Amino acid sequence: MHKSILFLVLLVITMVCAGREVVNVDTLSTDAAIKSAEAVLKAARKAGHYVSVAVIDRSGKYRLLISDNNAGPQTEESAKRKAFTAVSFGRPTSNLTAAAGGAGVTIHDIPGSLFLAGGVPIAHNGIAIGAIGVGGAPTGDADEQYANAGLATIHL
């Protein structure tokens, strides 16, 4: 009898401890990624710009990557790196440009990052769960304006 109780206690402890090794991670739905990218493209087209849009999750996995008709070949990489940078630091890339400069090793040296305006994090409960990156407008400020148009469609 004691062995059965001890076995059940150990089983419950194992199950409780095992549950701590698995976590749920909030991520953006596919529909939300599509809707946000559509808003980005619409805002850019209205201004006469052709851009690329990258929507990524917290781990940097692409939820969506699309280049508009006539977007330049460099715009896709720019959008990807801006999204990566925004989710990595949990801040818009425009807020990070000053920290990327300076002598010696800086955050600018992190592979895959791009410290130009146009990347905005997607936050849920105070944590960056993804990001939108835009590349291709004549200025980073315009890229960021379009990224924010996409962000405005996401209601978490």
Side-chain angles (χ1 to χ4, degrees), residues 61-119:
K61 178 182 174 199
Y62 295 101
R63 302 292 293 143
L64 182 141
L65 178 62
I66 189 167
S67 293
D68 201 357
N69 302 323
N70 299 314
Q74 80 288 359
T75 63
E76 189 174 293
E77 185 65 23
S78 175
K80 289 169 23 177
R81 291 176 61 192
K82 289 177 184 182
F84 173 81
T85 305
V87 76
S88 295
F89 292 94
R91 294 174 37 199
T93 53
S94 61
N95 293 350
L96 299 167
T97 54
V105 177
T106 67
I107 60 173
H108 183 271
D109 298 304
I110 298 172
S113 59
L114 184 59
F115 295 94
L116 299 175

Side-chain angles (χ1 to χ4, degrees), residues 9 11 20 28 30 40 43 45 53 56 63 89 98 101 104 116 140 150 154:
V9 168
L11 180 63
R20 293 182 189 154
L28 195 63
T30 301
V40 169
R45 287 174 179 169
V53 184
I56 64 172
R63 302 292 293 143
F89 292 94
L116 299 175
I154 299 169

